[in-house]
């Protein structure tokens, strides 16, 4: 099992460009989460999904969109990147019985 | 709205000394709680979790935490720290039968003096 994988690992964008981050899990978990991590801010929840075809807003959803068309994949989109979105992005999937989160390795995004 | 507070941004302890990292939460429902550790440039590792039952939970690397409902706290402890414990520690909270958000605190960076 690969667990939770994130693609890409690194990316540099120019302001105004768009991109999609892919999170994939092979554990058949129902719930998936996107967080961003910034120094001194901990992990902040962007969006999450409690099942295929459903998504919900987290603490800092503005500027991001998500989709969960397949149970194993959770996509995070930036339609028009801004420097304030420079961050490390972590995806997690959750085993429903005990809510334990399994994290991906992270994506480091820089917006210039 | 739910929130998680880690009051100490930085803590410095001597190697071999005891450690307590504080975590307070604000939730309108029965919580479940986690502590994670993150070394520089690395991902998050789960230290321990509380869901129900015994309020004193044991984790990996000699850590333990105690859930105190009356104080809305879930403090992390270790009786004797090692230099390898230097890292950033995060408390996280969710709530049963609520909106399924899992919210993190801002973290406490632990420094170890030789």
């Amino acid at each position: 099992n690969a667990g939770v994988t994130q693609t890409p690992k690194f990316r540099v964008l120019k302001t105004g460009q768009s991109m999609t981050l892919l999170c994939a899990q092979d554990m058949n978990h129902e719930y998936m989460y996107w967080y961003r991590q910034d120094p001194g801010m901990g992990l902040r929840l962007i969006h999450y999904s409690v099942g295929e075809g459903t998504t919900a807003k987290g603490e800092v959803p503005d500027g991001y969109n998500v989709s969960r068309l397949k149970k194993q994949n959770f996509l995070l989109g930036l339609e028009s990147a801004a420097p304030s979105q420079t961050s490390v992005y972590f995806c997690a999937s959750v085993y429903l019985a005990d809510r334990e989160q399994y994290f991906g390795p992270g994506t480091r995004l820089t917006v210039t | 709205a739910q929130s998680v507070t880690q009051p100490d941004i930085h803590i410095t302890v001597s190697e071999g000394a005891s450690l307590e990292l504080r975590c307070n939460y604000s939730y309108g429902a029965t919580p479940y709680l986690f502590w994670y550790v993150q070394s520089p440039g690395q991902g998050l590792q789960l230290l321990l979790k509380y869901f129900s039952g015994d309020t004193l939970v044991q984790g990996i690397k000699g850590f333990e935490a105690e859930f105190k409902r009356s104080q809305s706290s879930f403090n992390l402890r270790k009786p004797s720290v090692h230099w390898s414990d230097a890292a950033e520690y995060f408390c996280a909270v969710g709530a049963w039968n609520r909106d399924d958000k899992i919210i993190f605190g801002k973290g406490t960076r632990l420094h170890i003096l030789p």
Side-chain angles (χ1 to χ4, degrees):
Chain A
N1 286 354
V4 180
T5 58
Q6 292 183 231
T7 308
K9 290 184 170 55
F10 303 94
R11 185 71 186 268
V12 178
L13 287 179
K14 294 186 186 304
T15 298
Q17 288 184 318
S18 64
M19 78 163 294
T20 300
L21 282 67
L22 170 64
C23 176
Q25 53 97 3
D26 61 2
M27 297 173 283
N28 203 36
H29 287 170
E30 289 291 335
Y31 291 9
M32 297 184 75
Y33 297 75
W34 275 109
Y35 294 90
R36 60 177 289 175
Q37 184 177 27
D38 305 289
M41 299 299 293
L43 279 78
R44 292 181 290 172
L45 180 63
I46 305 171
H47 287 280
Y48 63 106
S49 168
V50 299
E52 184 178 315
T54 70
T55 62
K57 293 180 180 179
E59 301 172 279
V60 289
D62 294 342
Y64 304 95
N65 56 76
V66 288
S67 65
R68 184 101 181 267
L69 298 180
K70 294 182 179 181
K71 186 177 183 179
Q72 62 267 34
N73 295 337
F74 194 28
L75 280 67
L76 178 70
L78 287 73
E79 290 185 349
S80 180
S84 61
Q85 294 176 305
T86 293
S87 188
V88 179
Y89 292 84
F90 285 100
C91 173
S93 69
V94 168
Y95 176 52
L96 206 55
D98 64 8
R99 299 299 202 271
E100 181 168 342
Q101 291 184 304
Y102 292 77
F103 281 90
T107 294
R108 185 173 294 276
L109 174 66
T110 302
V111 183
T112 61
Chain B
Q2 54 262 49
S3 65
V4 181
T5 301
Q6 294 182 245
D8 304 304
I9 299 173
H10 294 272
I11 281 187
T12 301
V13 298
S14 298
E15 190 169 16
S18 63
L19 171 70
E20 183 170 32
L21 302 181
R22 295 183 290 165
C23 174
N24 295 99
Y25 65 90
S26 173
Y27 253 80
T30 302
Y32 49 91
L33 304 115
F34 309 88
W35 274 100
Y36 290 87
V37 61
Q38 185 181 38
S39 298
Q42 302 297 311
L44 289 98
Q45 182 180 24
L46 179 67
L47 286 174
L48 47 77
K49 58 189 178 186
Y50 170 81
F51 292 100
S52 63
D54 193 348
T55 56
L56 183 64
V57 294
Q58 303 296 322
I60 62 171
K61 304 185 179 187
F63 286 93
E64 67 176 27
E66 187 170 11
F67 171 56
K68 293 186 177 180
R69 186 186 301 275
S70 62
Q71 298 177 21
S72 298
S73 69
F74 188 55
N75 294 348
L76 181 71
R77 301 193 292 249
K78 187 170 185 178
S80 176
V81 297
H82 186 263
W83 64 267
S84 60
D85 294 323
E88 191 155 24
Y89 291 79
F90 295 97
C91 178
V93 182
W96 296 108
N97 303 317
R98 286 292 291 268
D99 56 16
D100 296 300
K101 292 179 182 177
I102 298 176
I103 304 296
F104 281 73
K106 293 185 178 180
T108 297
R109 183 164 294 280
L110 175 63
H111 306 270
I112 307 293
L113 295 175

